[in-house]
Amino acid sequence: MTHIGRPYDKKSKKITIKKDDSVDAVVAYLQHKLRIRFVVPQFYVGNDDHGIHDIDTSINWLIQDLRSRKIGGIYLPNTRWFAGEEDKAENLQRFVVQLAGLADVYVNDAFGSWQPHASTYHIAKYLPSYAGLCLQDELYHVKSVLQPTRPFVAIVAGAKYDTKIGPLTEIYKKVDHLILGGVIYNTYLCAKYGVKIKGVQESDIELARGLVEQDRTERKIVELPFLVESDTLEEREEGRYRTINIEDFAAGTEYNYVVDIDPLSFEVDPCKGVLSSAKTIFVNAVMGLMPLFWHGTSKMDAVIDQNISAQKFLGGGDTLQEFKSLHPKLYHEALHSPKYYLFTGGGTVLKVIEEGDPYGLEIVKALIENKASSQHDYKNHHHYSNGHAC
Ligand SMILES: Nc1ncnc2c1ncn2[C@@H]1O[C@H](COP(=O)(O)OP(=O)(O)O)[C@@H](O)[C@H]1O
Ligand SMILES: O=C(OP(=O)(O)O)[C@H](O)COP(=O)(O)O
């Protein structure tokens, strides 16, 4: 099982089920790699915007097929399509007990999924629980980000503003320089310069004000001066996008969508100097709206790579995906280079830097705590189990 995207809207509390967020691509990849057949069960979806309410007993037929080796595995639909995944009350308990009933053992190998939800956290109370090999490796390497050789530069960009802005105030204290991009930078610029950028919400700007205040004296935020403004998010059409300079910002000025950092920003000081003299660089950053506005991200990756002495840590689902697409050769070199480490989760690394301890992540604490009592729990909960292994 896994989650894909963010189909649950925290503000409206609605779940949107769409094909783009299905596990189909993951299942196709696993089938290809493992040469076994997975089946994704179909469950009833109510028309109340609360997604799938229950794992119903139809799954027992599939479990029979698994036991008799007719199929190689069962892959659940996107866990965020279930009403209980991000619930806090009854739906959560219901879903966790149903999940626990499917397996004998729980292995969490999703470093990127740091938020404590039913399938990442609560499940560990019901089954003997373990950290997977990938999770163990990432927890080991994240310690290096906590003890960086200085100067230490963090670059944070992308779209998951709500979960990344919080950790930034703590991260700010730990880095020598912070570079922002994407939606986070747009929001920061609105808060600092009083400009209006299309798509940036007033409530989000409020959250960024703390960071602006924090930076007034220490000046650790390295501002990227040249941005790409576009009239539309739908296409990259000549004449409908342009470069703007933050030096021209005046309070009250309204801009269209800011969709990328102009690559020139990485070729001039202060950014160029900061990146070339850094000894540790952490990157959770897609600088522009993909797939149209990739130029800023591509330039950033290239400039970082030129610093051959720095220890480079890249993390994030989209950050790695774009790194691989934009620089396939470099990506494969980085996988084996002692100068690079690639984390599957970027928000998780930010959370660890904020907490100061990889074992302080709730999903990890759940594994550690429940491992101690797992034998006991296992016996107590074995009657739920009608399945095989996870
Ligand atoms: N200025 C921008 N406006 C809108 N979306 C952006 C902007 N910059 C980056 N993005 C989007 O951010 C997404 C990546 O953000 P996020 O999921 O937070 O990164 P990661 O998965 O690497 O942690 C990309 O899909 C990209 O299209
Ligand atoms: O892609 C992910 O994290 P990332 O954006 O930090 O890389 C994970 O799916 C975590 O996403 P979540 O914060 O919606 O749980």
Side-chain angles (χ1 to χ4, degrees), residues 239-292:
R240 298 195 71 194
Y241 68 91
R242 62 207 67 83
T243 294
I244 55 172
N245 185 341
I246 64 168
E247 276 187 13
D248 301 327
F249 278 1
T253 311
E254 293 186 21
Y255 290 94
N256 264 319
Y257 303 103
V258 171
V259 288
D260 200 5
I261 303 296
D262 188 309
L264 185 60
S265 291
F266 295 98
E267 290 170 29
V268 294
D269 284 330
C271 184
K272 188 178 173 215
V274 161
L275 288 179
S276 62
S277 57
K279 287 278 174 275
T280 307
I281 306 175
F282 168 67
V283 186
N284 170 222
V286 178
M287 286 287 160
L289 175 66
M290 297 296 172
L292 301 171

Side-chain angles (χ1 to χ4, degrees), residues 345-364:
T348 313
V349 180
L350 298 179
K351 195 73 190 163
V352 169
I353 301 175
E354 181 190 15
E355 303 258 342
D357 176 10
Y359 303 108
L361 288 174
E362 291 194 71
I363 57 152
V364 178

Side-chain angles (χ1 to χ4, degrees), residues 3 5-6 80 112-115 117 160 163-164 284 315-319 344-348:
H3 76 225
R6 288 182 164 180
R80 284 189 172 159
S113 307
W114 60 270
Q115 300 195 66
H117 296 150
K160 294 194 183 105
T163 46
K164 291 179 183 178
N284 170 222
D318 289 29
T319 300
T344 55
T348 313

